Amino acid sequence: MSSTIIRIMTYQVDHCRGRDGKVDPDRISQVIACARPDIVALQGIDAEAPFDHLIRLEQRLGLKAYSPGRRDCNAYLSSLRLAGLREYDLGQQGVCLRADADVHGKRLHLFNIRLQPTLAGRIRQIHALLGSELLGDDALVCPVIVLGDFGDFFWNLGNLELNMRLRPVARPLWRATYPACFPVIGRDRAYLRGQVKVTDSFIERSPLAREASSHLPLILTTEIHEPARTLRVKEIKRTGMEVAAG
């Protein structure tokens, strides 16, 4: 079994508006640059003219941007090739942006989500996320990472369902990411499924990060494994037999 290590960040940038009320995508780009991620899952980014902050981040960081191209959306910045980009409405302003990353020949399913803080709304949004169109899809045979802003202030039954269906990533001892100026709530986190594990995680707590957005970013060092069955598929392909992509 072979493995590949990449660094992934999830960051709710809140329209690039800082604690001082100033909208400044350059501050966000500096926070991201300090962590040197391979992939960034953004929430609350404006990606539509004349307020296209995403293109500004793309230019400053040298990472390719992927988004639905509108205001207040989820998006990705990545040094790796992403494909299959699709946005899903989870109901009541909850959203999921799915993409498949090509990680040096290995496929990784990414689900970048933003849930809303209302209790009943979150439960319905989590049911939609776990439904047959998304995480319940039998075609998802490659490793999965679900990450983003889970919108919760208190533990509830929706979190229990997530923990039963996915593996929560162990976060730093002090897990809070919100509000950035004095974080007490761990709204930003990640879950795993399949042959993938997180070997290290940290929350960027620099003075700049505390000023740049209402959330602090979470950074994960991720190890993606290639199971034996995938290796066998490659061998079959070399013989000329066609195999459907997983």
Side-chain angles (χ1 to χ4, degrees):
M1 180 180 292
S2 62
S3 64
T4 301
I5 295 175
I6 61 171
R7 179 171 283 188
I8 303 176
M9 170 188 278
T10 178
Y11 197 4
Q12 163 62 278
V13 298
D14 197 13
H15 306 279
C16 299
R17 182 177 292 106
R19 186 170 61 166
D20 56 4
K22 181 181 178 181
V23 174
D24 187 354
D26 288 344
R27 285 192 298 201
I28 297 293
S29 72
Q30 290 176 56
V31 173
I32 295 173
C34 287
R36 295 180 295 175
D38 300 291
I39 299 174
V40 186
L42 298 166
Q43 304 89 41
I45 187 73
D46 293 330
E48 181 183 63
F51 305 102
D52 196 340
H53 300 150
L54 183 62
I55 193 67
R56 177 72 171 173
L57 297 181
E58 180 183 50
Q59 293 168 347
R60 290 293 300 269
L61 294 165
L63 301 172
K64 184 172 175 55
Y66 300 83
S67 83
R70 60 176 175 79
R71 295 196 68 184
D72 193 26
C73 66
N74 288 8
Y76 293 99
L77 292 165
S78 179
S79 64
L80 305 170
R81 187 177 67 85
L82 302 187
L85 191 76
R86 184 175 176 185
E87 185 179 48
Y88 294 84
D89 181 2
L90 301 178
Q92 297 191 326
Q93 299 182 311
V95 65
C96 172
L97 185 66
R98 177 184 167 178
D100 294 336
D102 180 356
V103 185
H104 310 301
K106 302 176 180 67
R107 179 177 296 186
L108 174 65
H109 300 304
L110 295 168
F111 293 82
N112 176 8
I113 73 164
R114 180 179 52 171
L115 305 183
Q116 296 302 310
T118 62
L119 176 60
R122 284 191 75 254
I123 292 175
R124 284 194 288 270
Q125 290 162 9
I126 289 170
H127 285 167
L129 178 65
L130 295 173
S132 59
E133 194 173 7
L134 287 164
L135 291 170
D137 185 353
D138 292 336
L140 294 177
V141 298
C142 295
V144 171
I145 298 182
V146 183
L147 74 173
D149 175 7
F150 285 79
D152 47 351
F153 289 93
F154 303 100
W155 191 93
N156 58 52
L157 291 177
N159 293 353
L160 176 62
E161 192 166 5
L162 282 171
N163 289 345
M164 291 175 62
R165 300 277 294 273
L166 302 166
R167 303 194 312 273
V169 169
R171 290 173 288 165
L173 181 62
W174 183 250
R175 343 183 137 181
T177 58
Y178 179 85
C181 59
F182 187 75
V184 293
I185 303 167
R187 281 179 51 165
D188 306 272
R189 55 186 186 269
Y191 294 84
L192 310 174
R193 191 170 74 190
Q195 297 290 326
V196 56
K197 69 178 182 178
V198 169
T199 59
D200 184 49
S201 65
F202 70 94
I203 295 168
E204 179 57 60
R205 306 179 188 276
S206 67
L208 180 61
R210 291 176 184 270
E211 285 288 340
S213 172
S214 60
H215 291 240
L216 298 174
L218 172 66
I219 301 95
L220 311 170
T221 301
T222 306
E223 187 173 341
I224 302 162
H225 294 277
E226 190 165 39
R229 65 176 179 173
T230 304
L231 296 176
R232 287 198 296 271
V233 165
K234 288 185 176 180
E235 291 171 1
I236 291 172
K237 283 187 175 182
R238 283 197 291 268
T239 68
M241 297 175 63
E242 279 296 322
V243 179

